[in-house]
Amino acid sequence: MNIAIITGASSGMGMEFARQLDKSLNKTDEIWLLARRKEPMEELARTMKTKTKTIVIDMTSDKEMAQFAEVLEISNPKITVLVNCAGVGSYGEFVKQSGEDVSAMIRLNIVALTQMTKICLSYMHRGSRIIQFASGAAFVPQAAFAVYAATKSYVYSLSRALGKELQSRGISVTAVCPGPVNTPFLKHAYGDTSRIKGLKKLTMAKTECVVAKAIEDCKMGKSVSVCGLSMKMLYLVTQSVQNVMQIFV
Ligand SMILES: NC(=O)c1ccc[n+]([C@@H]2O[C@H](COP(=O)([O-])OP(=O)(O)OC[C@H]3O[C@@H](n4cnc5c(N)ncnc54)[C@H](OP(=O)(O)O)[C@@H]3O)[C@@H](O)[C@H]2O)c1
């Protein structure tokens, strides 16, 4: 049985990924949707033409991740696509953030994403694809978004390195690096979204566009997916600086 797995499928970009993959995936028998909230996933599943399974999971729980690994072991599927969308962000100065918020970002964005990737890799074969949600925040350190940006730098770095390691096995890894996107993420991250100002507000991307570009880039085997002119410019500038720095170290 060929399956696609999408984490963070109860909202925002994960939900949109499910909709777009439902239209574009062939050779996939089932799409598995993962998140903590069952209802939005079931509502989404009812609109999908591909057979869909919803799995309620708190990815920060070791016990629940182990149970998910068991489900895979029993089903023994071939995973054609893994999309790791689940992620949280918390805006504010590091010293003022609660320990809980800081640890939630690290546990989900770093630990859970890494574990999920490792669990799923055992079921991937030549032609399988991994899509990891990093962020434009991965490219430069961000004051008042320090931990979030650092977690996304981790995702970016892991994805690029893993992509190289998996090249010989014919498995591609694409790091998706959007700027601000209009999803519930922003309300969770900022509380009051009127705090989003200036360039961030001006460059706000549409969920559908970011996801469509990510799917297109993944199909082309690109290691990084960047949507929109401003994000592309930021990416190119940071890449050029890194290349220059490499001459000196
Ligand atoms: N929106 C942006 O501006 C933006 C920009 C750059 C990158 N990103 C990244 O893009 C990805 C998708 O974000 P989004 O904008 O679609 O956000 P979103 O609408 O808030 O969706 C986040 C998803 O993560 C799931 N999730 C949260 N905690 C979880 C947990 N402990 N276990 C399992 N699932 C959990 C949520 O589902 P439940 O609550 O049901 O568990 C939800 O489905 C994230 O990694 C985010 O960091 C977002």
Side-chain angles (χ1 to χ4, degrees):
M1 176 178 58
N2 288 348
I3 67 165
I5 292 182
I6 304 171
T7 75
S10 63
S11 173
M13 288 188 272
M15 204 170 229
E16 183 58 26
F17 246 104
R19 288 192 195 105
Q20 294 197 21
L21 287 182
D22 184 39
K23 288 182 195 135
S24 63
L25 276 182
N26 41 38
K27 297 186 195 150
T28 297
D29 306 301
E30 283 186 19
I31 298 180
W32 289 14
L33 308 177
L34 276 64
R36 290 169 305 178
R37 284 170 297 147
K38 191 177 177 70
E39 257 177 39
M41 289 193 290
E42 292 208 322
E43 209 172 294
L44 171 64
R46 283 194 283 276
T47 67
M48 311 249 296
K49 64 176 168 50
T50 313
K51 190 174 176 203
T52 303
K53 179 172 177 160
T54 58
I55 296 178
V56 173
I57 179 171
D58 179 350
M59 288 172 57
T60 63
S61 153
D62 286 341
K63 190 176 156 210
E64 291 182 33
M65 288 292 272
Q67 283 167 348
F68 177 68
E70 271 172 36
V71 171
L72 280 179
E73 205 178 325
I74 292 162
S75 317
N76 195 23
K78 178 179 170 187
I79 300 175
T80 52
V81 188
L82 165 67
V83 187
N84 260 318
C85 265
V88 281
S90 186
Y91 183 80
E93 273 180 57
F94 179 67
V95 285
K96 292 183 186 159
Q97 285 184 318
S98 71
E100 253 170 45
D101 279 351
V102 168
S103 121
M105 286 184 273
I106 296 169
R107 283 191 298 143
L108 183 62
N109 301 359
I110 295 182
V111 181
L113 175 137
T114 310
Q115 284 175 339
M116 183 56 74
T117 307
K118 200 155 171 46
I119 291 169
C120 290
L121 254 176
S122 312
Y123 303 90
M124 295 186 139
H125 304 267
R126 188 161 286 281
S128 294
R129 300 178 186 283
I130 301 174
I131 298 176
Q132 308 283 39
F133 262 84
S135 165
F139 303 145
V140 272
Q142 292 202 7
F145 227 173
V147 175
Y148 176 73
T151 66
K152 292 302 180 178
S153 293
Y154 170 91
V155 176
Y156 175 78
S157 175
L158 174 77
S159 306
R160 299 292 307 264
L162 200 55
K164 291 264 181 231
E165 282 186 23
L166 296 175
Q167 218 163 24
S168 59
R169 284 178 57 188
I171 299 172
S172 71
V173 184
T174 304
V176 184
C177 301
V181 190
N182 201 358
T183 72
F185 171 88
L186 296 177
K187 179 93 182 84
H188 295 148
Y190 290 86
D192 176 7
T193 47
S194 67
R195 289 162 79 188
I196 306 167
K197 294 198 170 94
L199 200 59
K200 276 193 175 166
K201 195 169 180 180
L202 278 175
T203 57
M204 186 83 63
K206 287 202 173 90
T207 312
E208 310 85 73
C209 302
V210 174
V211 170
K213 177 86 172 87
I215 292 174
E216 184 190 312
D217 288 339
C218 164
K219 279 183 180 162
M220 289 167 72
K222 287 193 182 173
S223 55
V224 181
S225 176
V226 182
C227 181
L229 188 63
S230 52
M231 271 303 122
K232 276 187 188 139
M233 280 166 63
L234 175 66
Y235 175 58
L236 290 174
V237 169
T238 53
Q239 287 301 296
S240 313
V241 172
Q242 275 174 24
N243 290 340
V244 172
M245 293 295 283
Q246 271 172 10
I247 299 168
F248 297 102
V249 290

